[in-house]
C-alpha cells in the first residue's frame, strides 16, 4: 500500500474541517436545546407559538442527524457500527478507482474529444508565434543541444561503430559501383577535366627525371646482359634516358601530343567498359570486395563514428557553432511561417490531432488501468483521511444546510397540518 505524504497544507485543511464539524455539531445541539425548551413551554401552556418552534427544532434535529450520518458514512462507519453501505471510500476505493478510470476513458480519452480540444487550441498558430520569438528559439536550440549531447554520451562507441561499419559495408557491397564510376569518368573525359591531372603527372615526371637521371641510367645499365661492354651499356643508358626525357617533355609541352590522345581514348574506352562490359564490371566488384575486406579499410570505417561524434558534440557545446546557428535560424523561420501560413498551420494541427488521437485510441486501456491500479495501491485509511481533509469542510455545510432546511420544512409541515386540522 502507498501512504500519502500528509503535508502542512493538508493539516491546515484538517483544522478547517474540525472547525466546521464543531460548528455543525453546535448547531445540532442548539436546535436540540430549542426543541427541549419549546416542548416544555408548550406543556406549560405558554402559547401556540411553542408548538411551531418545537416542530421546527424537531425537524432541524432530524435533518442534522440524517446529513451527519450521510457525510460520516462516506469516510467511516458512524459510531463504529457495521451498518451496510457505510465507510464508502475505504471499502469501495478500488471500485471507485476503476469507475474513475472508465469515466476518464469514455469522456476524456476519446478521439473526438481530443481532436476537438486540440483544434480549439489552435496549436499551429500558437507554436509559430512562440518559436518566432528569438529568445524562445534560443531556448529550444539550447535544449536540443543538451539532449543531443546526452544522447551521444549515453551511446556506446563500440556498439555504434559496429552498426555504422556494418551498414556502410553492407551498403557498399550491395551497390554496384562500376556503372557509376563509368558515367563519372565519361563526363570527366568529355569535359576535359582530366587534362590537368595529365599535366601534373607529366610535369612531376619531367622534374623527377631531371633530378634522378643517374638513377635511370644506372637502372638501364644494371639490366643489360653481362657479356656487353660497359661503355656500350652506358651509351644505351644515356640514350634511353634522353629519349624518355624528350618524350615526357613533349607530352608536357604539347597539348596535342599523340600520347595524350591515346590516354583520352583509353579513358573513354575504359568508361564504356565500366558501364557495359561484364568482365570489367566483375573485376571492379572483386576489387571493391578485396578493398572493403582489408583491416585498414574497416578500421577507417569504424573510426568514422568517433570523428563525427566529436564534431557533433563540439558543435552542440559551442553557442556560436554553425550547427546551433543554423538550428536557431531554422526554428525562427519555421515559427514565422507557422504564425502566418494557414495551410502549414492546418498541417501541423492535423499531425498533432492524429498523433493524439492515435495515442488515446491505442493506449486508452493502459492509461485508465494506470488510474485504477494507482488508486488500488493507496492505503484505504490514508486515502479517506486525505480526501476528507480536502473536501470535508464543504461537506460540513451539508449538515448545516440540512439543519436549516429541515427546520424550515418541519415548520412548514406543522403549519399546514395545524391549518388543515383547525
Amino acid at each position: 500500500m502507498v501512504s500519502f505524504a500528509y503535508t502542512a497544507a493538508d493539516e491546515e485543511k484538517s483544522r478547517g474541517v474540525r472547525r466546521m464539524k464543531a460548528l455543525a455539531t453546535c448547531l445540532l445541539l442548539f436546535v436540540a436545546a430549542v426543541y427541549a425548551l419549546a416542548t416544555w413551554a408548550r406543556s406549560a401552556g405558554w402559547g401556540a407559538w411553542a408548538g411551531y418552534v418545537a416542530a421546527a427544532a424537531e425537524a432541524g434535529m432530524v435533518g442534522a442527524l440524517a446529513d451527519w450520518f450521510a457525510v460520516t458514512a462516506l469516510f467511516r462507519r458512524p459510531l463504529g457500527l457495521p451498518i451496510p453501505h457505510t465507510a464508502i471510500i475505504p471499502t469501495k476505493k478500488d471500485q471507485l478507482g476503476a469507475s474513475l478510470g472508465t469515466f476518464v476513458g469514455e469522456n476524456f480519452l476519446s478521439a473526438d474529444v481530443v481532436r476537438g480540444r486540440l483544434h480549439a487550441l489552435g496549436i499551429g498558430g500558437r507554436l509559430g508565434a512562440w518559436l518566432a520569438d528569438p529568445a524562445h528559439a534560443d531556448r529550444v536550440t539550447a535544449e536540443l543541444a543538451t539532449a543531443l549531447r546526452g544522447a551521444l554520451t549515453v551511446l556506446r562507441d563500440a556498439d555504434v561503430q559496429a552498426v555504422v561499419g556494418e551498414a556502410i559495408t553492407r551498403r557498399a557491397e550491395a551497390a554496384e559501383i562500376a556503372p557509376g564510376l563509368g558515367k563519372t569518368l565519361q563526363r570527366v573525359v568529355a569535359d576535359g577535366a582530366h587534362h590537368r591531372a595529365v599535366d601534373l603527372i607529366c610535369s612531376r615526371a619531367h622534374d623527377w627525371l631531371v633530378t634522378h637521371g643517374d638513377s635511370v641510367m644506372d637502372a638501364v645499365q644494371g639490366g643489360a646482359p653481362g657479356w656487353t661492354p660497359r661503355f656500350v651499356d652506358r651509351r644505351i643508358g644515356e640514350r634511353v634516358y634522353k629519349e624518355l626525357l624528350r618524350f615526357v617533355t613533349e607530352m608536357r609541352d604539347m597539348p596535342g601530343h599523340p600520347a595524350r590522345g591515346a590516354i583520352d581514348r583509353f579513358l573513354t574506352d575504359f568508361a564504356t567498359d565500366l558501364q557495359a562490359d561484364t568482365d570489367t564490371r566483375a573485376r571492379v566488384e572483386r576489387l571493391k570486395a578485396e578493398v572493403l575486406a582489408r583491416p585498414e579499410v574497416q578500421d577507417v570505417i569504424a573510426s568514422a563514428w568517433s570523428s563525427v561524434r566529436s564534431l557533433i558534440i563540439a558543435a552542440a557545446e559551442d553557442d556560436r557553432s554553425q550547427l546551433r546557428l543554423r538550428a536557431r535560424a531554422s526554428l525562427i523561420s519555421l515559427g514565422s511561417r507557422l504564425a502566418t501560413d494557414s495551410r502549414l498551420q492546418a498541417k501541423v494541427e492535423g499531425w498533432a490531432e492524429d498523433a493524439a488521437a492515435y495515442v488515446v485510441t491505442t493506449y486508452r486501456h493502459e492509461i485508465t488501468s494506470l488510474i485504477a491500479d494507482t488508486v488500488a495501491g493507496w492505503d484505504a485509511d490514508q486515502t479517506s483521511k486525505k480526501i476528507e481533509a480536502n473536501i470535508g469542510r464543504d461537506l460540513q455545510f451539508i449538515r448545516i444546510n440540512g439543519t436549516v432546511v429541515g427546520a424550515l420544512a418541519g415548520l412548514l409541515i406543522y403549519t399546514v397540518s395545524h391549518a388543515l386540522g383547525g
Side-chain angles (χ1 to χ4, degrees):
M1 292 296 181
V2 179
S3 297
F4 290 104
Y6 215 65
T7 63
D10 293 329
E11 184 59 35
E12 178 63 28
K13 293 176 182 178
S14 295
R15 285 194 291 269
V17 172
R18 289 193 292 270
R19 286 193 296 268
M20 290 304 300
K21 282 184 177 181
L23 178 60
T25 302
C26 289
L27 183 59
L28 171 60
L29 295 176
F30 173 74
V31 295
V34 170
Y35 173 74
L37 292 174
T39 302
W40 173 79
R42 184 176 56 184
S43 300
W46 282 29
W49 62 268
Y52 289 91
V53 174
E58 181 180 12
M61 286 191 297
V62 173
L65 289 172
D67 288 338
W68 165 81
F69 182 89
V71 172
T72 303
L74 289 173
F75 305 103
R76 61 188 64 83
R77 298 191 183 279
L79 302 177
L81 299 175
I83 303 173
H85 306 294
T86 57
I88 294 175
I89 291 177
T91 57
K92 301 291 185 179
K93 172 177 62 66
D94 295 350
Q95 293 90 324
L96 291 173
S99 299
L100 177 61
T102 302
F103 176 80
V104 172
E106 293 177 351
N107 295 279
F108 294 93
L109 299 181
S110 66
D112 292 337
V113 171
V114 172
R115 285 182 181 276
R117 181 58 179 167
L118 291 178
H119 183 74
L121 290 176
I123 293 177
R126 292 188 177 187
L127 178 61
W130 191 84
L131 282 177
D133 187 340
H136 294 159
D138 288 338
R139 178 181 175 185
V140 174
T141 302
E143 294 296 337
L144 290 176
T146 301
L148 181 60
R149 290 198 304 269
L152 293 177
T153 302
V154 171
L155 292 175
R156 293 178 56 188
D157 287 347
D159 295 338
V160 178
Q161 287 175 355
V163 172
V164 172
E166 182 181 358
I168 294 176
T169 302
R170 183 179 300 175
R171 182 66 180 271
E173 290 176 347
E176 186 179 2
I177 64 172
L181 290 175
K183 291 180 180 179
T184 302
L185 181 59
Q186 192 174 39
R187 286 195 296 269
V188 168
V189 174
D191 296 339
H194 65 294
H195 291 160
R196 291 187 179 182
V198 175
D199 292 341
L200 178 62
I201 293 173
C202 292
S203 178
R204 291 297 178 88
H206 176 271
D207 295 341
W208 187 88
L209 287 174
V210 171
T211 305
H212 301 86
D214 294 338
S215 300
V216 174
M217 289 185 288
D218 291 342
V220 173
Q221 294 178 33
W227 49 267
T228 58
R230 288 292 184 87
F231 73 94
V232 174
D233 295 339
R234 186 166 52 256
R235 295 282 297 182
I236 294 175
E238 292 175 355
R239 184 64 179 178
V240 170
Y241 170 72
K242 290 179 180 179
E243 289 297 323
L244 184 60
L245 182 61
R246 182 186 61 79
F247 175 77
V248 172
T249 302
E250 290 178 353
M251 277 194 67
R252 184 194 64 179
D253 299 335
M254 296 173 58
H257 194 277
R260 286 178 175 265
I263 293 175
D264 292 346
R265 290 190 296 273
F266 168 76
L267 292 177
T268 301
D269 294 342
F270 185 54
T272 302
D273 292 342
L274 285 173
Q275 298 177 70
D277 185 67
T278 305
D279 293 339
T280 303
R281 292 168 61 174
R283 286 196 295 269
V284 171
E285 289 302 311
R286 287 195 297 269
L287 178 61
K288 179 191 71 176
E290 293 175 359
V291 172
L292 289 175
R294 294 188 64 83
E296 298 86 349
V297 176
Q298 290 297 316
D299 291 341
V300 171
I301 294 174
S303 63
W305 163 247
S306 298
S307 301
V308 173
R309 177 178 177 273
S310 300
L311 290 174
I312 295 176
I313 291 178
E317 292 176 346
D318 185 3
D319 294 343
R320 309 305 302 172
S321 66
Q322 285 297 317
L323 176 64
R324 293 188 60 164
L325 292 176
R326 290 179 180 273
R328 178 181 181 275
S330 298
L331 289 173
I332 294 176
S333 175
L334 175 61
S336 300
R337 289 184 58 198
L338 267 177
T340 57
D341 190 342
S342 58
R343 294 180 60 185
L344 184 58
Q345 290 176 11
K347 285 185 179 181
V348 172
E349 291 170 3
W351 294 335
E353 292 171 15
D354 291 342
Y358 173 80
V359 170
V360 298
T361 302
T362 306
Y363 301 101
R364 178 188 302 168
H365 176 71
E366 286 76 4
I367 297 173
T368 55
S369 64
L370 174 64
I371 297 174
D373 295 342
T374 301
V375 174
W378 290 347
D379 178 77
D381 294 334
Q382 291 289 339
T383 301
S384 179
K385 185 178 179 181
K386 184 87 169 180
I387 294 176
E388 185 177 13
N390 284 272
I391 67 172
R393 186 175 185 276
D394 294 327
L395 292 177
Q396 299 310 310
F397 282 103
I398 296 177
R399 295 176 57 189
I400 296 173
N401 293 335
T403 304
V404 176
V405 173
L408 295 175
L411 178 61
L412 178 62
I413 293 171
Y414 181 83
T415 301
V416 173
S417 300
H418 190 72
L420 293 175

